[in-house]
Amino acid sequence: MEITLHTPVQEWYVNTTNNDLSYWGLDYPPLTAYQSFFHGLVLDRFEPESVALHTSRGYETPSSKRLMRWTVLTSDAIIFFPAVFAFSMAFHHQRRFDESAWAFAVILLQPALILIDHGHFQYNCISLGLTLGAVASICLHRDYLASVLFCLALNHKQMSAYYAPAFFAYLFGKSIRKKNPIFEVMKLGVAVIGTFLLCWWPFLHSRTAEAVLLRLAPLQRGIFEDYVANFWCASSLVVKWKQIFPNTVLAYLALFATLVSFLPSVVQQIRSPSHRGFLLSLFNSSLSFYLFSYQVHEKSILLPLIPASLLILEDFSLYRGMILCAMFSMFPLLRRDGLVVPYIATFALHLLLLNVPFLEKSLSHVKERQHPSLKYMSDGLLFTGCLIDLLYLLIEPPPRYPFLFEALNSLLVFICLVLIGLHSHIQQWSATSTHEQIDADKVKMN
């Protein structure tokens, strides 16, 4: 906020005397920079010291923290909440009110998103809200609006690219079934290119677009940091990837592994695009990126968690397994930031929400469809994850293995995510009918 407020656009992503990139440089796409500028205007109006050039670094007061919390709350209210409501109306319109209201509450009250955005001021609610708006547009057959909204999400946080294969597969698969497939693909291309040009124009005009791109690809940071619950970190207990290969080779290995992982999901949607299949493809694609891509952060678990929550009435066991994986995988990060009490409180309340007593009867048919193996896996994960968290809080690890509990936590969640991923891929390929299958004849008439 300090940098975007007090320096010209062409310096936002460039190292200068006023912009020390090693301190807290912008490393997200242009829409995040614009958001920082507008939020900076608000903070400058109420507490200018909090965004003053140079002197605001390290500045912290109760009022500045309240202002920061309000920036996240207003982002939730303006973008994320309406997007969730739009999706619920579009996808759950044939459901009973108590079912759709419960699903709506579960999506809104996700503890992982609350803890990350309101504990770290990450504003994932904006990029995820824009993505949810795009998903709602897909469900309403507003494909061009969906393309624009998803491109805006990509231009807010590059992590939104986790969803790109699913959007591409669904829209391409649907377009090639229309009367003029080439023309339909071209129209989508115009929407995409136009949105990107609009977002990037100030940097294209000032010829600093290359500097922005370099900030978005942190190859120098290595294939993983900390103990994130993905393949590279979990397998590093046996294979020392960072010692064997340079970063460039690891980047290509990660790219190849990610492509192979999400390819079946993409093929299924191109062959048979459908709304439920699209949601499963969003989950499978984002999970593939989380498990195998380069430089994954703990907060990236939010990306597969969102589509899992959208499918809660379709596959309760999928969401239950994912919310447990998400919370346990983020615990070491949240503990370092002093968020143990909020972690316990929000986690416990969410588990209660998943088992509301007065809704047990009306939701029994939703939970009866749980896949037995996932249910048992989730029960085991809940017990084992809580045990590891408790040991992590109460016992000092042996000096020889200072990160023992982080490693055990990472390995446990990774194994569960692989099992969930196999289940969701099977579910996507078996989704063939009911409300989710697109009628090819109707598509051709449009």
Side-chain angles (χ1 to χ4, degrees):
M1 294 180 191
E2 168 202 329
I3 296 304
T4 56
L5 198 61
H6 297 290
T7 63
V9 173
Q10 58 267 28
E11 294 183 10
W12 287 0
Y13 291 87
V14 180
N15 198 69
T16 66
T17 54
N18 289 325
N19 184 16
D20 182 5
L21 294 180
S22 64
Y23 173 73
W24 203 272
L26 273 165
D27 54 5
Y28 290 113
L31 206 59
T32 289
Y34 306 145
Q35 169 228 317
S36 298
F37 173 75
F38 285 112
H39 279 157
L41 289 175
V42 174
L43 267 69
D44 189 53
R45 170 69 177 81
F46 292 98
E47 192 165 346
E49 298 85 1
S50 65
V51 288
L53 191 61
H54 300 305
T55 58
S56 71
R57 299 176 189 183
Y59 178 89
E60 182 178 314
T61 64
S63 56
S64 70
K65 291 174 73 173
R66 281 196 298 271
L67 284 169
M68 289 293 289
R69 295 197 189 285
W70 274 106
T71 61
V72 183
L73 285 168
T74 53
S75 300
D76 273 334
I78 294 171
I79 297 178
F80 188 71
F81 290 5
V84 176
F85 180 74
F87 169 80
S88 297
M89 294 295 292
F91 192 70
H92 295 148
H93 64 279
Q94 294 180 342
R95 295 278 188 173
R96 297 200 317 264
F97 175 77
D98 54 351
E99 292 180 355
S100 57
W102 176 72
F104 179 73
V106 168
I107 299 169
L108 283 186
L109 299 176
Q110 278 186 36
L113 181 59
I114 291 171
L115 290 166
I116 291 295
D117 271 19
H118 296 269
H120 288 262
F121 311 121
Q122 288 281 335
Y123 305 102
N124 294 288
C125 58
I126 295 178
S127 57
L128 293 174
L130 291 168
T131 301
L132 277 175
V135 173
S137 300
I138 290 283
C139 294
L140 295 171
H141 303 285
R142 305 286 182 87
D143 296 343
Y144 305 113
L145 177 60
S147 299
V148 170
L149 289 173
F150 181 62
C151 287
L152 291 175
L154 282 170
N155 279 287
H156 185 262
K157 292 216 171 184
Q158 62 267 44
M159 287 192 309
S160 300
Y162 285 22
Y163 298 132
F167 274 96
F168 165 79
Y170 174 86
L171 292 172
F172 183 73
K174 186 175 177 180
S175 295
I176 61 177
R177 284 165 174 75
K178 294 185 178 181
K179 286 184 177 180
N180 300 300
I182 296 177
F183 183 61
E184 294 297 329
V185 172
M186 288 177 61
K187 287 195 291 185
L188 290 171
V190 169
V192 170
I193 294 171
T195 306
F196 269 85
L197 283 176
L198 185 64
C199 292
W200 284 73
W201 177 248
F203 305 98
L204 294 170
H205 182 69
S206 62
R207 299 181 181 179
T208 56
E210 184 179 356
V212 182
L213 290 172
L214 289 173
R215 292 293 298 167
L216 302 185
L219 290 179
Q220 73 282 359
R221 294 171 65 179
I223 195 166
F224 67 87
E225 288 181 272
D226 297 325
Y227 278 85
V228 64
N230 74 349
F231 169 77
W232 305 107
C233 182
S235 62
S236 68
L237 299 174
V238 178
V239 182
K240 304 303 178 184
W241 299 102
K242 294 181 179 180
Q243 298 175 17
I244 299 173
F245 300 105
N247 285 339
T248 50
V249 174
L250 288 174
Y252 282 115
L253 285 175
L255 176 63
F256 176 76
T258 307
L259 289 172
V260 171
S261 180
F262 70 64
L263 187 60
S265 176
V266 168
V267 170
Q268 189 277 334
Q269 274 303 278
I270 293 176
R271 289 182 57 185
S272 181
S274 64
H275 289 163
R276 182 169 181 266
F278 169 62
L279 295 180
L280 284 165
S281 184
L282 286 172
F283 175 79
N284 289 326
S285 172
S286 54
L287 185 61
S288 297
F289 273 89
Y290 180 84
L291 290 177
F292 297 107
S293 63
Y294 190 91
Q295 186 50 227
V296 172
H297 192 277
E298 292 97 327
K299 68 184 179 186
S300 302
I301 196 67
L302 295 174
L303 278 296
L305 180 60
I306 286 292
S309 69
L310 303 183
L311 286 160
I312 189 167
L313 295 180
E314 307 284 327
D315 194 337
F316 177 78
S317 55
L318 175 70
Y319 176 71
R320 183 169 182 260
M322 272 307 300
I323 191 61
L324 295 176
C325 285
M327 294 301 289
F328 289 132
S329 69
M330 295 195 311
F331 179 70
L333 170 69
L334 298 172
R335 182 179 183 269
R336 288 198 301 270
D337 290 343
L339 295 173
V340 172
V341 173
Y343 168 85
I344 295 172
T346 55
F347 198 179
L349 288 170
H350 198 71
L351 291 177
L352 287 174
L353 178 61
L354 295 183
N355 298 278
V356 181
F358 62 84
L359 287 178
E360 279 299 310
K361 186 176 181 180
S362 60
L363 294 174
S364 59
H365 66 286
V366 173
K367 298 184 179 182
E368 282 171 0
R369 292 200 298 267
Q370 288 190 75
H371 197 276
S373 60
L374 275 192
K375 183 181 183 302
Y376 297 140
M377 183 213 74
S378 297
D379 292 340
L381 173 60
L382 180 59
F383 173 79
T384 311
C386 287
L387 179 60
I388 292 175
D389 285 356
L390 193 61
L391 293 174
Y392 191 22
L393 289 173
L394 300 178
I395 300 176
E396 283 291 326
R400 187 178 177 183
Y401 303 106
F403 302 106
L404 174 64
F405 298 128
E406 289 94 334
L408 289 174
N409 183 70
S410 169
L411 186 60
L412 171 68
V413 175
F414 168 71
I415 292 171
C416 292
L417 288 175
V418 170
L419 295 175
I420 292 172
L422 291 172
H423 165 81
S424 61
H425 270 90
I426 294 171
Q427 291 298 306
Q428 184 181 339
W429 275 88
S430 62
T432 56
S433 59
T434 66
H435 68 282
E436 84 279 349
Q437 187 68 36
I438 291 182
D439 188 334
D441 294 331
K442 289 182 180 180
V443 171
K444 291 178 180 178
M445 291 173 63
N446 291 334

